[in-house]
Amino acid sequence: MSTTESQAPAAARPVSGVTLAEVEQFLYAEAALLDDWRLEEWVELFTLDCTYEIPATDVPDSDPGLTWSLIHDRRTMLEQRIIRLKKPEAHAEFPHSQTSRIIGNVRLTDRLEQSLLVEANFLVSRMKAGKFDQYAGRHYYELVPAAEGFLIRRKKSVLAHDRLDPQGKISFVL
Amino acid sequence: MPQPYVIDKREESLFQVDREVFTSQEIFEKERELIFADAWLYVGHESELPKKNDFRTRDVGGRSIIFNRDRHGDVRVLLNTCLHRGASVCRHPKGNQKIFTCFYHGWAYRNSGELVNVPAGEDYANAPADVYGGLRSPRVENYRGFYFCNFSDSAPDLRTWLGPSAYLFDLATDQSEDGVEVLEGTHNYTLNANWKLLVENSIDGYHAKSVHHTYFEMMMELGQTPPMLGEGTVNGVPPVGLGTEFGNGNVTLIYPGNGLPLATEQVAHNLAELRGKAVERHGEEYASAVFNLARNSVFFPNFFLIDLNFGMIIRTIMPLGPDRTQATSWHVAPRGLSQESLQYRIDNALTFWGPAGLATPDDVEALEQAQRGFSARREVPLSDISKGIGKPRPAANDELQMRAWWRQWNYVMTGEQLPAEVEAFTPFTTREPSRKPQEA
């Protein structure tokens, strides 16, 4: 990963004081932003040195730097993804899908010096043009405590699917 | 049933396809029998089986197969069905195994196919190994490490079938003196549209501006020139590119490769270094065909090689039903890249391709909308594929490449041989570039 010291924000408050309830509230709020298609606000939750990853369904544990994954965005591409998704010419998502996210089984798995590692299961239900899909899996986060809430340095969403069938595509943000 | 399926009126410069071929169950079944039983079908790449006894299970041409390297190191394709009562003898997507055992009654086969153990075999009057031999194999051949199989004994050999289109594999493989490798990670997704719509779309330069407008805007925002909008001619290929055909329904569209979105200086330097080595090995003209041209190719019926010098993917497309299709795709990279260059290629390719990319979902949307439109096929029976017909050198955003594919499809389905439109184009003068001999 090509992060520089200057890009990586220091935690605005100590990692040790963070509670699980606080992490859960943050993840729920993130899910609400996505369900409401408030993507410009959502992308601001990420640090400048962030990565947003979805591994291929047949190699969920792989390093997206070395394998053909589904998404491996750094900040610039994440912003471009959002800009594109808000245009009517993003044909697969116009009109936008309706989604409902359930975030559960939230666990704070490690406290690093400046950040926290968090895992949570997700179930995203999606309705578009009479077709109903669900996406299930687990999010892996690295969160940096900010003055209010957190910043996301890494979000990796591992699908519990062995192929994209029947969903076919991930045309919105999981 | 529509007759003809394909209307090819040269004198009127019209080419049309009956929309029934996208919706009919009868045609879907006929395709299974005629198109997929008698063609060279892509199975996998040698780099996916690095060690003896490595295997991958796949579906090829509607059959469940094992693509493996046996204990002697020979690459094989075994039909994944027990000779006894039919169950799969291997249920894992990949692994390393010397013996495949059917879990139903325990019949066991060596990874070269021989039946070596039958539980309670003494109860058989005739030893099953003597009666049945071993797991069945189709014909298997490779070109430059890309393995294909064929379920027909009468088809020509792979190299003959590829004909001059084989150079497209050469250009892809000669990016590095060590050849290419298929990376781990598979894009495996379905769509609710006929498989031939995705075939068309994969070699369709015409839709790029309308469907992928948002992608091109992104490229330009990042300071890059989108493909086919540049100004330079490379090896006789104009900025708008051109489409060409090679016989047997193998076709390509070829265009100058513009822009390296997201590339760092180091990545550009590494690419220049690779190019420099190719110039040493093959000369400037061939190297510029390798590195300065981009190609979207289809090898009839369903193998796609999309080779841009900053990212290469291969794709197979299988029909699951008249309006249901499975697409599988992998990323191919030159061997021996620095980690930074490899990551760049992957990330760059991912921005466009794949079911979570910034382009593929919009393609799928277009195809699913077309499939919906075919509900009015009685009232609007024909699709038009005439763009650029009659031009001696059609552009990449013309539709020659689809017409050539459709003519082969029509030939296999009906026996009617329609004449080709243009002479095959090769963007370098030497047809057989010097290269390291491939595997023995």
PDB file of all heavy atoms in Angstrom, chain B residues 1-9 15-21 27 30 381-383 406 409-411 413-416 418:
ATOM      1  N   MET B   1     -40.511 -21.412 -36.581  1.00  0.00           N
ATOM      2  CA  MET B   1     -39.071 -21.090 -36.525  1.00  0.00           C
ATOM      3  C   MET B   1     -38.675 -20.187 -37.698  1.00  0.00           C
ATOM      4  O   MET B   1     -39.062 -20.455 -38.819  1.00  0.00           O
ATOM      5  CB  MET B   1     -38.294 -22.415 -36.605  1.00  0.00           C
ATOM      6  CG  MET B   1     -36.889 -22.312 -36.119  1.00  0.00           C
ATOM      7  SD  MET B   1     -36.770 -21.519 -34.515  1.00  0.00           S
ATOM      8  CE  MET B   1     -38.043 -22.355 -33.569  1.00  0.00           C
ATOM      9  N   PRO B   2     -37.941 -19.113 -37.399  1.00  0.00           N
ATOM     10  CA  PRO B   2     -37.618 -18.163 -38.479  1.00  0.00           C
ATOM     11  C   PRO B   2     -36.632 -18.755 -39.464  1.00  0.00           C
ATOM     12  O   PRO B   2     -35.695 -19.435 -39.077  1.00  0.00           O
ATOM     13  CB  PRO B   2     -36.979 -16.993 -37.733  1.00  0.00           C
ATOM     14  CG  PRO B   2     -36.369 -17.602 -36.519  1.00  0.00           C
ATOM     15  CD  PRO B   2     -37.263 -18.761 -36.147  1.00  0.00           C
ATOM     16  N   GLN B   3     -36.858 -18.520 -40.729  1.00  0.00           N
ATOM     17  CA  GLN B   3     -35.885 -18.873 -41.772  1.00  0.00           C
ATOM     18  C   GLN B   3     -35.883 -17.744 -42.774  1.00  0.00           C
ATOM     19  O   GLN B   3     -36.946 -17.379 -43.265  1.00  0.00           O
ATOM     20  CB  GLN B   3     -36.261 -20.184 -42.462  1.00  0.00           C
ATOM     21  CG  GLN B   3     -35.824 -21.452 -41.748  1.00  0.00           C
ATOM     22  CD  GLN B   3     -34.316 -21.597 -41.562  1.00  0.00           C
ATOM     23  OE1 GLN B   3     -33.544 -20.855 -42.153  1.00  0.00           O
ATOM     24  NE2 GLN B   3     -33.912 -22.536 -40.733  1.00  0.00           N
ATOM     25  N   PRO B   4     -34.800 -17.127 -43.124  1.00  0.00           N
ATOM     26  CA  PRO B   4     -33.500 -17.378 -42.518  1.00  0.00           C
ATOM     27  C   PRO B   4     -33.338 -16.664 -41.160  1.00  0.00           C
ATOM     28  O   PRO B   4     -34.066 -15.728 -40.871  1.00  0.00           O
ATOM     29  CB  PRO B   4     -32.552 -16.765 -43.546  1.00  0.00           C
ATOM     30  CG  PRO B   4     -33.344 -15.637 -44.140  1.00  0.00           C
ATOM     31  CD  PRO B   4     -34.779 -16.088 -44.141  1.00  0.00           C
ATOM     32  N   TYR B   5     -32.368 -17.150 -40.354  1.00  0.00           N
ATOM     33  CA  TYR B   5     -32.059 -16.472 -39.095  1.00  0.00           C
ATOM     34  C   TYR B   5     -31.359 -15.141 -39.371  1.00  0.00           C
ATOM     35  O   TYR B   5     -31.535 -14.171 -38.663  1.00  0.00           O
ATOM     36  CB  TYR B   5     -31.102 -17.306 -38.238  1.00  0.00           C
ATOM     37  CG  TYR B   5     -31.573 -18.689 -37.875  1.00  0.00           C
ATOM     38  CD1 TYR B   5     -30.704 -19.772 -37.982  1.00  0.00           C
ATOM     39  CD2 TYR B   5     -32.854 -18.909 -37.384  1.00  0.00           C
ATOM     40  CE1 TYR B   5     -31.103 -21.048 -37.613  1.00  0.00           C
ATOM     41  CE2 TYR B   5     -33.263 -20.186 -37.019  1.00  0.00           C
ATOM     42  CZ  TYR B   5     -32.382 -21.254 -37.143  1.00  0.00           C
ATOM     43  OH  TYR B   5     -32.779 -22.504 -36.778  1.00  0.00           O
ATOM     44  N   VAL B   6     -30.509 -15.185 -40.399  1.00  0.00           N
ATOM     45  CA  VAL B   6     -29.643 -14.047 -40.684  1.00  0.00           C
ATOM     46  C   VAL B   6     -29.919 -13.584 -42.113  1.00  0.00           C
ATOM     47  O   VAL B   6     -29.937 -14.398 -43.039  1.00  0.00           O
ATOM     48  CB  VAL B   6     -28.162 -14.476 -40.546  1.00  0.00           C
ATOM     49  CG1 VAL B   6     -27.227 -13.442 -41.145  1.00  0.00           C
ATOM     50  CG2 VAL B   6     -27.818 -14.725 -39.077  1.00  0.00           C
ATOM     51  N   ILE B   7     -30.175 -12.297 -42.296  1.00  0.00           N
ATOM     52  CA  ILE B   7     -30.446 -11.742 -43.618  1.00  0.00           C
ATOM     53  C   ILE B   7     -29.249 -10.893 -44.032  1.00  0.00           C
ATOM     54  O   ILE B   7     -28.943  -9.890 -43.385  1.00  0.00           O
ATOM     55  CB  ILE B   7     -31.724 -10.888 -43.593  1.00  0.00           C
ATOM     56  CG1 ILE B   7     -32.905 -11.762 -43.160  1.00  0.00           C
ATOM     57  CG2 ILE B   7     -31.984 -10.252 -44.956  1.00  0.00           C
ATOM     58  CD1 ILE B   7     -34.116 -10.962 -42.707  1.00  0.00           C
ATOM     59  N   ASP B   8     -28.553 -11.337 -45.064  1.00  0.00           N
ATOM     60  CA  ASP B   8     -27.302 -10.701 -45.477  1.00  0.00           C
ATOM     61  C   ASP B   8     -27.469 -10.210 -46.913  1.00  0.00           C
ATOM     62  O   ASP B   8     -27.216 -10.930 -47.865  1.00  0.00           O
ATOM     63  CB  ASP B   8     -26.179 -11.752 -45.375  1.00  0.00           C
ATOM     64  CG  ASP B   8     -24.797 -11.151 -45.571  1.00  0.00           C
ATOM     65  OD1 ASP B   8     -24.688  -9.918 -45.732  1.00  0.00           O
ATOM     66  OD2 ASP B   8     -23.813 -11.937 -45.565  1.00  0.00           O
ATOM     67  N   LYS B   9     -27.959  -8.968 -47.063  1.00  0.00           N
ATOM     68  CA  LYS B   9     -28.224  -8.416 -48.400  1.00  0.00           C
ATOM     69  C   LYS B   9     -27.106  -7.458 -48.764  1.00  0.00           C
ATOM     70  O   LYS B   9     -27.197  -6.257 -48.477  1.00  0.00           O
ATOM     71  CB  LYS B   9     -29.557  -7.668 -48.406  1.00  0.00           C
ATOM     72  CG  LYS B   9     -30.777  -8.534 -48.192  1.00  0.00           C
ATOM     73  CD  LYS B   9     -32.024  -7.669 -48.373  1.00  0.00           C
ATOM     74  CE  LYS B   9     -33.268  -8.338 -47.812  1.00  0.00           C
ATOM     75  NZ  LYS B   9     -34.307  -7.369 -47.450  1.00  0.00           N
ATOM     76  N   PHE B  15     -27.724  -5.843 -43.151  1.00  0.00           N
ATOM     77  CA  PHE B  15     -27.481  -7.102 -42.435  1.00  0.00           C
ATOM     78  C   PHE B  15     -28.410  -7.115 -41.226  1.00  0.00           C
ATOM     79  O   PHE B  15     -28.392  -6.195 -40.404  1.00  0.00           O
ATOM     80  CB  PHE B  15     -26.025  -7.196 -41.996  1.00  0.00           C
ATOM     81  CG  PHE B  15     -25.653  -8.555 -41.453  1.00  0.00           C
ATOM     82  CD1 PHE B  15     -25.078  -9.515 -42.267  1.00  0.00           C
ATOM     83  CD2 PHE B  15     -25.891  -8.870 -40.114  1.00  0.00           C
ATOM     84  CE1 PHE B  15     -24.744 -10.766 -41.771  1.00  0.00           C
ATOM     85  CE2 PHE B  15     -25.562 -10.124 -39.608  1.00  0.00           C
ATOM     86  CZ  PHE B  15     -24.984 -11.070 -40.452  1.00  0.00           C
ATOM     87  N   GLN B  16     -29.223  -8.163 -41.165  1.00  0.00           N
ATOM     88  CA  GLN B  16     -30.220  -8.217 -40.093  1.00  0.00           C
ATOM     89  C   GLN B  16     -30.264  -9.615 -39.465  1.00  0.00           C
ATOM     90  O   GLN B  16     -29.932 -10.602 -40.115  1.00  0.00           O
ATOM     91  CB  GLN B  16     -31.608  -7.889 -40.657  1.00  0.00           C
ATOM     92  CG  GLN B  16     -31.703  -6.465 -41.186  1.00  0.00           C
ATOM     93  CD  GLN B  16     -32.830  -6.305 -42.190  1.00  0.00           C
ATOM     94  OE1 GLN B  16     -33.054  -7.181 -43.028  1.00  0.00           O
ATOM     95  NE2 GLN B  16     -33.522  -5.190 -42.106  1.00  0.00           N
ATOM     96  N   VAL B  17     -30.655  -9.640 -38.215  1.00  0.00           N
ATOM     97  CA  VAL B  17     -30.789 -10.907 -37.497  1.00  0.00           C
ATOM     98  C   VAL B  17     -32.214 -10.999 -36.966  1.00  0.00           C
ATOM     99  O   VAL B  17     -32.738 -10.018 -36.411  1.00  0.00           O
ATOM    100  CB  VAL B  17     -29.770 -10.985 -36.339  1.00  0.00           C
ATOM    101  CG1 VAL B  17     -30.028 -12.217 -35.476  1.00  0.00           C
ATOM    102  CG2 VAL B  17     -28.341 -11.013 -36.875  1.00  0.00           C
ATOM    103  N   ASP B  18     -32.819 -12.153 -37.153  1.00  0.00           N
ATOM    104  CA  ASP B  18     -34.176 -12.358 -36.646  1.00  0.00           C
ATOM    105  C   ASP B  18     -34.138 -12.440 -35.113  1.00  0.00           C
ATOM    106  O   ASP B  18     -33.390 -13.246 -34.551  1.00  0.00           O
ATOM    107  CB  ASP B  18     -34.770 -13.645 -37.227  1.00  0.00           C
ATOM    108  CG  ASP B  18     -36.269 -13.708 -36.991  1.00  0.00           C
ATOM    109  OD1 ASP B  18     -36.695 -13.609 -35.816  1.00  0.00           O
ATOM    110  OD2 ASP B  18     -37.008 -13.843 -37.981  1.00  0.00           O
ATOM    111  N   ARG B  19     -34.926 -11.623 -34.449  1.00  0.00           N
ATOM    112  CA  ARG B  19     -34.876 -11.551 -32.984  1.00  0.00           C
ATOM    113  C   ARG B  19     -35.323 -12.847 -32.296  1.00  0.00           C
ATOM    114  O   ARG B  19     -35.063 -13.027 -31.106  1.00  0.00           O
ATOM    115  CB  ARG B  19     -35.713 -10.361 -32.498  1.00  0.00           C
ATOM    116  CG  ARG B  19     -35.092  -9.042 -32.925  1.00  0.00           C
ATOM    117  CD  ARG B  19     -35.848  -7.836 -32.423  1.00  0.00           C
ATOM    118  NE  ARG B  19     -35.136  -6.618 -32.818  1.00  0.00           N
ATOM    119  CZ  ARG B  19     -35.499  -5.399 -32.470  1.00  0.00           C
ATOM    120  NH1 ARG B  19     -36.572  -5.213 -31.728  1.00  0.00           N
ATOM    121  NH2 ARG B  19     -34.794  -4.348 -32.858  1.00  0.00           N
ATOM    122  N   GLU B  20     -35.976 -13.688 -33.033  1.00  0.00           N
ATOM    123  CA  GLU B  20     -36.385 -14.980 -32.486  1.00  0.00           C
ATOM    124  C   GLU B  20     -35.156 -15.781 -32.003  1.00  0.00           C
ATOM    125  O   GLU B  20     -35.259 -16.578 -31.076  1.00  0.00           O
ATOM    126  CB  GLU B  20     -37.146 -15.764 -33.571  1.00  0.00           C
ATOM    127  CG  GLU B  20     -37.884 -16.987 -33.091  1.00  0.00           C
ATOM    128  CD  GLU B  20     -39.203 -16.680 -32.370  1.00  0.00           C
ATOM    129  OE1 GLU B  20     -39.725 -15.564 -32.539  1.00  0.00           O
ATOM    130  OE2 GLU B  20     -39.664 -17.553 -31.623  1.00  0.00           O
ATOM    131  N   VAL B  21     -34.012 -15.560 -32.621  1.00  0.00           N
ATOM    132  CA  VAL B  21     -32.826 -16.346 -32.227  1.00  0.00           C
ATOM    133  C   VAL B  21     -32.344 -15.985 -30.826  1.00  0.00           C
ATOM    134  O   VAL B  21     -31.503 -16.672 -30.259  1.00  0.00           O
ATOM    135  CB  VAL B  21     -31.647 -16.207 -33.237  1.00  0.00           C
ATOM    136  CG1 VAL B  21     -32.097 -16.525 -34.651  1.00  0.00           C
ATOM    137  CG2 VAL B  21     -30.994 -14.842 -33.167  1.00  0.00           C
ATOM    138  N   ILE B  27     -33.987 -22.872 -30.462  1.00  0.00           N
ATOM    139  CA  ILE B  27     -32.673 -22.440 -30.960  1.00  0.00           C
ATOM    140  C   ILE B  27     -31.604 -22.604 -29.885  1.00  0.00           C
ATOM    141  O   ILE B  27     -30.481 -23.008 -30.162  1.00  0.00           O
ATOM    142  CB  ILE B  27     -32.762 -20.991 -31.491  1.00  0.00           C
ATOM    143  CG1 ILE B  27     -33.555 -21.018 -32.802  1.00  0.00           C
ATOM    144  CG2 ILE B  27     -31.372 -20.389 -31.711  1.00  0.00           C
ATOM    145  CD1 ILE B  27     -33.786 -19.696 -33.442  1.00  0.00           C
ATOM    146  N   LYS B  30     -30.635 -26.151 -29.962  1.00  0.00           N
ATOM    147  CA  LYS B  30     -29.887 -26.436 -31.184  1.00  0.00           C
ATOM    148  C   LYS B  30     -28.456 -25.890 -31.081  1.00  0.00           C
ATOM    149  O   LYS B  30     -27.497 -26.515 -31.540  1.00  0.00           O
ATOM    150  CB  LYS B  30     -30.627 -25.796 -32.368  1.00  0.00           C
ATOM    151  CG  LYS B  30     -30.274 -26.379 -33.714  1.00  0.00           C
ATOM    152  CD  LYS B  30     -31.267 -25.898 -34.776  1.00  0.00           C
ATOM    153  CE  LYS B  30     -30.675 -26.079 -36.172  1.00  0.00           C
ATOM    154  NZ  LYS B  30     -31.497 -25.452 -37.217  1.00  0.00           N
ATOM    155  N   PRO B 381     -39.487  -7.544 -35.845  1.00  0.00           N
ATOM    156  CA  PRO B 381     -38.826  -8.860 -35.857  1.00  0.00           C
ATOM    157  C   PRO B 381     -37.310  -8.852 -36.060  1.00  0.00           C
ATOM    158  O   PRO B 381     -36.671  -9.865 -35.807  1.00  0.00           O
ATOM    159  CB  PRO B 381     -39.502  -9.575 -37.029  1.00  0.00           C
ATOM    160  CG  PRO B 381     -39.975  -8.482 -37.932  1.00  0.00           C
ATOM    161  CD  PRO B 381     -40.259  -7.283 -37.069  1.00  0.00           C
ATOM    162  N   LEU B 382     -36.728  -7.753 -36.519  1.00  0.00           N
ATOM    163  CA  LEU B 382     -35.321  -7.824 -36.925  1.00  0.00           C
ATOM    164  C   LEU B 382     -34.428  -6.868 -36.137  1.00  0.00           C
ATOM    165  O   LEU B 382     -34.826  -5.754 -35.821  1.00  0.00           O
ATOM    166  CB  LEU B 382     -35.191  -7.488 -38.424  1.00  0.00           C
ATOM    167  CG  LEU B 382     -35.944  -8.403 -39.393  1.00  0.00           C
ATOM    168  CD1 LEU B 382     -35.808  -7.870 -40.809  1.00  0.00           C
ATOM    169  CD2 LEU B 382     -35.426  -9.836 -39.299  1.00  0.00           C
ATOM    170  N   SER B 383     -33.201  -7.316 -35.856  1.00  0.00           N
ATOM    171  CA  SER B 383     -32.164  -6.425 -35.330  1.00  0.00           C
ATOM    172  C   SER B 383     -31.243  -6.035 -36.479  1.00  0.00           C
ATOM    173  O   SER B 383     -30.938  -6.870 -37.341  1.00  0.00           O
ATOM    174  CB  SER B 383     -31.344  -7.130 -34.253  1.00  0.00           C
ATOM    175  OG  SER B 383     -32.049  -7.180 -33.045  1.00  0.00           O
ATOM    176  N   TRP B 406     -21.698 -13.575 -36.710  1.00  0.00           N
ATOM    177  CA  TRP B 406     -23.044 -14.067 -37.019  1.00  0.00           C
ATOM    178  C   TRP B 406     -23.037 -14.984 -38.249  1.00  0.00           C
ATOM    179  O   TRP B 406     -23.796 -15.957 -38.314  1.00  0.00           O
ATOM    180  CB  TRP B 406     -24.001 -12.894 -37.280  1.00  0.00           C
ATOM    181  CG  TRP B 406     -24.619 -12.364 -36.021  1.00  0.00           C
ATOM    182  CD1 TRP B 406     -24.383 -11.152 -35.438  1.00  0.00           C
ATOM    183  CD2 TRP B 406     -25.584 -13.026 -35.184  1.00  0.00           C
ATOM    184  NE1 TRP B 406     -25.136 -11.017 -34.293  1.00  0.00           N
ATOM    185  CE2 TRP B 406     -25.875 -12.148 -34.113  1.00  0.00           C
ATOM    186  CE3 TRP B 406     -26.211 -14.264 -35.236  1.00  0.00           C
ATOM    187  CZ2 TRP B 406     -26.787 -12.482 -33.110  1.00  0.00           C
ATOM    188  CZ3 TRP B 406     -27.123 -14.589 -34.226  1.00  0.00           C
ATOM    189  CH2 TRP B 406     -27.394 -13.705 -33.180  1.00  0.00           C
ATOM    190  N   TRP B 409     -21.949 -18.268 -37.049  1.00  0.00           N
ATOM    191  CA  TRP B 409     -23.064 -18.848 -36.271  1.00  0.00           C
ATOM    192  C   TRP B 409     -24.101 -19.428 -37.225  1.00  0.00           C
ATOM    193  O   TRP B 409     -24.577 -20.551 -37.062  1.00  0.00           O
ATOM    194  CB  TRP B 409     -23.676 -17.754 -35.388  1.00  0.00           C
ATOM    195  CG  TRP B 409     -24.817 -18.222 -34.529  1.00  0.00           C
ATOM    196  CD1 TRP B 409     -24.736 -18.737 -33.267  1.00  0.00           C
ATOM    197  CD2 TRP B 409     -26.217 -18.223 -34.875  1.00  0.00           C
ATOM    198  NE1 TRP B 409     -25.994 -19.059 -32.807  1.00  0.00           N
ATOM    199  CE2 TRP B 409     -26.921 -18.754 -33.773  1.00  0.00           C
ATOM    200  CE3 TRP B 409     -26.939 -17.829 -35.996  1.00  0.00           C
ATOM    201  CZ2 TRP B 409     -28.308 -18.888 -33.762  1.00  0.00           C
ATOM    202  CZ3 TRP B 409     -28.321 -17.970 -35.990  1.00  0.00           C
ATOM    203  CH2 TRP B 409     -28.991 -18.498 -34.884  1.00  0.00           C
ATOM    204  N   ASN B 410     -24.423 -18.636 -38.250  1.00  0.00           N
ATOM    205  CA  ASN B 410     -25.416 -19.054 -39.236  1.00  0.00           C
ATOM    206  C   ASN B 410     -24.950 -20.302 -39.992  1.00  0.00           C
ATOM    207  O   ASN B 410     -25.729 -21.225 -40.246  1.00  0.00           O
ATOM    208  CB  ASN B 410     -25.660 -17.902 -40.203  1.00  0.00           C
ATOM    209  CG  ASN B 410     -26.730 -18.226 -41.224  1.00  0.00           C
ATOM    210  OD1 ASN B 410     -27.874 -18.492 -40.867  1.00  0.00           O
ATOM    211  ND2 ASN B 410     -26.343 -18.232 -42.499  1.00  0.00           N
ATOM    212  N   TYR B 411     -23.652 -20.322 -40.291  1.00  0.00           N
ATOM    213  CA  TYR B 411     -23.082 -21.470 -41.008  1.00  0.00           C
ATOM    214  C   TYR B 411     -23.217 -22.746 -40.167  1.00  0.00           C
ATOM    215  O   TYR B 411     -23.671 -23.792 -40.654  1.00  0.00           O
ATOM    216  CB  TYR B 411     -21.620 -21.203 -41.359  1.00  0.00           C
ATOM    217  CG  TYR B 411     -20.894 -22.415 -41.899  1.00  0.00           C
ATOM    218  CD1 TYR B 411     -21.324 -23.037 -43.074  1.00  0.00           C
ATOM    219  CD2 TYR B 411     -19.796 -22.947 -41.227  1.00  0.00           C
ATOM    220  CE1 TYR B 411     -20.664 -24.157 -43.567  1.00  0.00           C
ATOM    221  CE2 TYR B 411     -19.140 -24.066 -41.710  1.00  0.00           C
ATOM    222  CZ  TYR B 411     -19.579 -24.669 -42.878  1.00  0.00           C
ATOM    223  OH  TYR B 411     -18.940 -25.782 -43.352  1.00  0.00           O
ATOM    224  N   MET B 413     -25.277 -23.313 -37.739  1.00  0.00           N
ATOM    225  CA  MET B 413     -26.674 -23.641 -37.452  1.00  0.00           C
ATOM    226  C   MET B 413     -27.428 -24.130 -38.690  1.00  0.00           C
ATOM    227  O   MET B 413     -28.359 -24.925 -38.582  1.00  0.00           O
ATOM    228  CB  MET B 413     -27.394 -22.418 -36.867  1.00  0.00           C
ATOM    229  CG  MET B 413     -26.871 -21.995 -35.499  1.00  0.00           C
ATOM    230  SD  MET B 413     -27.312 -23.122 -34.157  1.00  0.00           S
ATOM    231  CE  MET B 413     -29.017 -22.636 -33.857  1.00  0.00           C
ATOM    232  N   THR B 414     -27.063 -23.601 -39.877  1.00  0.00           N
ATOM    233  CA  THR B 414     -27.875 -23.915 -41.062  1.00  0.00           C
ATOM    234  C   THR B 414     -27.094 -24.555 -42.205  1.00  0.00           C
ATOM    235  O   THR B 414     -27.696 -25.063 -43.149  1.00  0.00           O
ATOM    236  CB  THR B 414     -28.510 -22.633 -41.647  1.00  0.00           C
ATOM    237  OG1 THR B 414     -27.456 -21.826 -42.215  1.00  0.00           O
ATOM    238  CG2 THR B 414     -29.229 -21.819 -40.594  1.00  0.00           C
ATOM    239  N   GLY B 415     -25.749 -24.468 -42.157  1.00  0.00           N
ATOM    240  CA  GLY B 415     -24.956 -24.986 -43.258  1.00  0.00           C
ATOM    241  C   GLY B 415     -24.782 -23.998 -44.407  1.00  0.00           C
ATOM    242  O   GLY B 415     -24.045 -24.268 -45.363  1.00  0.00           O
ATOM    243  N   GLU B 416     -25.439 -22.829 -44.292  1.00  0.00           N
ATOM    244  CA  GLU B 416     -25.332 -21.828 -45.356  1.00  0.00           C
ATOM    245  C   GLU B 416     -24.060 -21.003 -45.151  1.00  0.00           C
ATOM    246  O   GLU B 416     -23.882 -20.368 -44.113  1.00  0.00           O
ATOM    247  CB  GLU B 416     -26.552 -20.896 -45.312  1.00  0.00           C
ATOM    248  CG  GLU B 416     -26.497 -19.769 -46.318  1.00  0.00           C
ATOM    249  CD  GLU B 416     -27.527 -18.668 -45.998  1.00  0.00           C
ATOM    250  OE1 GLU B 416     -27.958 -18.557 -44.829  1.00  0.00           O
ATOM    251  OE2 GLU B 416     -27.882 -17.927 -46.919  1.00  0.00           O
ATOM    252  N   LEU B 418     -21.990 -17.878 -45.949  1.00  0.00           N
ATOM    253  CA  LEU B 418     -22.061 -16.534 -46.530  1.00  0.00           C
ATOM    254  C   LEU B 418     -20.639 -16.005 -46.690  1.00  0.00           C
ATOM    255  O   LEU B 418     -19.804 -16.217 -45.812  1.00  0.00           O
ATOM    256  CB  LEU B 418     -22.878 -15.616 -45.613  1.00  0.00           C
ATOM    257  CG  LEU B 418     -24.352 -16.028 -45.454  1.00  0.00           C
ATOM    258  CD1 LEU B 418     -24.973 -15.369 -44.238  1.00  0.00           C
ATOM    259  CD2 LEU B 418     -25.130 -15.690 -46.717  1.00  0.00           C
TER     260      LEU B 418
END
